[in-house]
Amino acid sequence: MVMKNYPPEFKADAVALVLSRPDRTITSIARDLGISRETLRLWVRAAQARGEGRQGAAGDAAAGKSASSGHLPSDDVLEEENKQLRARIRELGQERDILRRAAKPFRGRDELVSRFQFVEDHKALLGVKRLCRVLQVSRSGFYRWLKDAGARLARRQADEQLAGRMRRIHAEHDGTYGSPRMTAELRAAGRKVNHKRVERVMREHGIVGLHLRKKVRTTVPESDTAPVPDLLQRDFTAEQPNTRYVGDITYLPVGGGTFLYLATVVDLHSRRLVGWSIADHMRTELVVDALQAAAHTRAGRLDGALFHSDNGGQYCSREFARACRRLGVTRSRGAVGTSADNAAAESFNATLKRETLQGAHRWPDARTARLAVFRWITRYNTVRRHSRLGQLSPIVYEKTADSLKAAA
């Protein structure tokens, strides 16, 4: 056991043990006593300087003579050594038990905080000093940690309240919000909160947003269509609304192994779903209906707008080309077999299915699928926050842009 202040009796006995055992080194005796070699050496030198060394020398000579004549140490000396060794063994056993008890609580947690908590839980039985020494933590650090218990409790209660608010937001948005949108939602409600805290509280309370699912390719290209240039060149931005659009078709799996199909028209300025159409087929009228719905949303005007798509047969048809000319739309198409050329539309479809199906493989029937998609599209345009829009919804973003333009 390591002590800072040793009783005079202990020092005297230690010096006497050294002087009476010339057959042993100071290092071995210091190890048995649980003190440092230099400390014991200083005690011996101090005792010799006080004149105790002569007596010790005489004892050394007697001990040497006894050793040379083959006599064993006295029973008292052996008993004292055994007593000290037994004490040391008990001390080591206690330290081993402390480490065994501490091993399990430390797994998967903040190690320093776990050690402080372990000291707090076991200090009545084993003592703070011993526990801090064995666990290799600072006693002063432990007492500072103990002093801050009230502040930690307050932070924990505040985190619990925040987690409750997060769960309500999570449920309101069908469990789709991750930490960025959750942070924006809290700030919009007047809650000053750091995004790192939001991430931590969501992680600690198991609040998880949806993640991307594997995409299923549905494009069926036409082999003999007239070429249409790629006017976007993967630049999925627009300075003004109603100038550049992207569209695609995605499947909606329903019960019985059947499908519905959704055609979309997304404005690249605000990411708003301006036009869409659902049917149980993939005929050209599906994409024409979506484009006409977009024109209706934009007060019947798409003049001068650009519409970009993949090379699916519906978008390459003469019927769709006539609809574009009638509405004043310029067509643009990416390369054959390259989904990255229409990434914005692909991303929208992936988000829709991820957040409506939420891990399920299909909807039970077509009516349920239609209602789920309609509800999500309405929320997407009006409420759901978009990371590319500064965490605003598409319609709010368009209104904000109009307000800024009018003010200018």
Side-chain angles (χ1 to χ4, degrees):
M1 180 175 61
V2 177
M3 295 186 294
K4 291 183 178 179
N5 298 315
Y6 297 91
E9 295 81 4
F10 181 84
K11 294 180 180 180
D13 290 342
V15 171
L17 182 60
V18 172
L19 298 177
S20 65
R21 296 298 305 275
D23 57 321
R24 297 188 59 190
T25 64
I26 287 182
T27 300
S28 64
I29 295 174
R31 184 172 57 250
D32 292 343
L33 296 177
I35 61 178
S36 73
R37 179 186 61 184
E38 292 303 319
T39 298
L40 183 55
R41 191 186 303 276
L42 289 174
W43 291 351
V44 172
R45 289 176 179 172
Q48 290 173 342
R50 291 193 300 269
E52 299 173 11
R54 292 187 296 272
Q55 181 180 357
D60 291 348
K65 183 177 179 181
S66 174
S68 62
S69 59
H71 294 295
L72 295 174
S74 65
D75 292 340
D76 292 341
V77 173
L78 290 174
E79 180 61 29
E80 181 63 25
E81 290 182 357
N82 288 336
K83 181 179 179 181
Q84 294 171 359
L85 289 172
R86 286 194 295 270
R88 181 59 178 160
I89 291 172
R90 284 195 302 272
E91 181 75 13
L92 292 173
Q94 290 171 347
E95 292 180 3
R96 179 197 60 194
D97 292 340
I98 290 172
L99 293 174
R100 284 180 176 175
R101 291 184 188 182
K104 186 175 181 180
F106 291 172
R107 294 181 189 140
R109 299 171 56 189
D110 186 310
E111 185 174 339
L112 183 59
V113 172
S114 299
R115 293 188 183 200
F116 285 158
Q117 188 61 56
F118 187 86
V119 173
E120 171 65 11
D121 295 340
H122 297 83
K123 65 182 182 181
L125 177 64
L126 301 169
V128 172
K129 184 177 180 180
R130 175 186 295 174
L131 287 166
C132 288
R133 175 174 56 81
V134 174
L135 299 178
Q136 297 181 347
V137 295
S138 164
R139 271 192 293 167
S140 60
F142 166 72
Y143 286 119
R144 283 196 301 272
W145 175 85
L146 203 60
K147 185 178 179 181
D148 294 338
R152 287 197 307 277
L153 177 61
R155 286 195 298 270
R156 188 160 56 248
Q157 291 173 343
D159 285 348
E160 290 290 343
Q161 294 176 354
L162 181 62
R165 176 63 182 144
M166 287 179 176
R167 289 192 183 94
R168 291 192 291 273
I169 294 173
H170 202 245
E172 289 170 2
H173 295 274
D174 296 336
T176 60
Y177 272 17
S179 60
R181 291 190 177 90
M182 185 69 73
T183 302
E185 191 73 21
L186 290 168
R187 289 174 178 172
R191 186 71 178 265
K192 294 182 179 180
V193 63
N194 183 277
H195 72 280
K196 292 183 179 179
R197 184 186 178 198
V198 172
E199 292 174 1
R200 175 179 58 80
V201 173
M202 290 184 68
R203 181 173 62 252
E204 291 175 353
H205 290 81
I207 304 172
V208 183
L210 289 179
H211 301 284
L212 285 171
R213 300 179 63 203
K214 186 176 179 180
K215 177 178 65 67
V216 177
R217 187 179 178 88
T218 57
T219 302
V220 181
E222 286 281 349
S223 58
D224 57 349
T225 57
V228 171
D230 182 353
L231 302 178
L232 282 188
Q233 294 297 316
R234 301 188 184 182
D235 177 15
F236 302 110
T237 60
E239 295 295 329
Q240 298 294 330
N242 197 22
T243 56
R244 306 175 91 192
Y245 293 94
V246 293
D248 195 14
I249 299 175
T250 189
Y251 75 102
L252 306 174
V254 296
T258 59
F259 299 93
L260 293 177
Y261 299 93
L262 170 69
T264 57
V265 180
V266 179
D267 192 315
L268 288 177
H269 173 70
S270 62
R271 293 304 196 272
R272 179 180 179 180
L273 182 63
V274 181
W276 56 281
S277 177
I278 296 180
D280 57 0
H281 61 80
M282 293 178 65
R283 294 190 294 272
T284 302
E285 63 189 81
L286 177 69
V287 296
V288 171
D289 288 345
L291 192 64
Q292 290 175 339
H296 178 76
T297 300
R298 294 305 189 191
R301 296 185 60 186
L302 292 177
D303 294 341
L306 181 149
F307 179 82
H308 182 85
S309 69
D310 58 25
N311 284 272
Q314 302 83 358
Y315 295 112
C316 298
S317 66
R318 294 187 180 91
E319 182 181 351
F320 184 73
R322 286 194 298 268
C324 288
R325 286 193 298 271
R326 184 176 67 253
L327 295 171
V329 173
T330 300
R331 289 183 296 161
S332 170
R333 290 203 298 263
V336 176
T338 306
S339 61
D341 286 349
N342 201 24
E346 298 268 359
S347 176
F348 175 87
N349 292 337
T351 300
L352 182 149
K353 287 199 283 187
R354 180 179 73 246
E355 295 189 1
T356 51
L357 283 169
Q358 297 195 15
H361 294 291
R362 61 184 60 84
W363 286 278
D365 52 61
R367 181 175 183 275
T368 302
R370 286 177 179 271
L371 290 176
V373 171
F374 178 78
R375 176 174 177 267
W376 184 89
I377 289 174
T378 302
R379 191 177 70 244
Y380 170 86
N381 279 334
T382 60
V383 177
R384 184 185 181 277
R385 299 180 184 277
H386 201 296
S387 59
R388 288 183 175 269
L389 307 179
Q391 298 299 352
L392 298 176
S393 68
I395 289 181
V396 171
Y397 182 78
E398 284 190 356
K399 291 179 179 179
T400 301
D402 288 343
S403 298
L404 294 174
K405 183 177 180 182

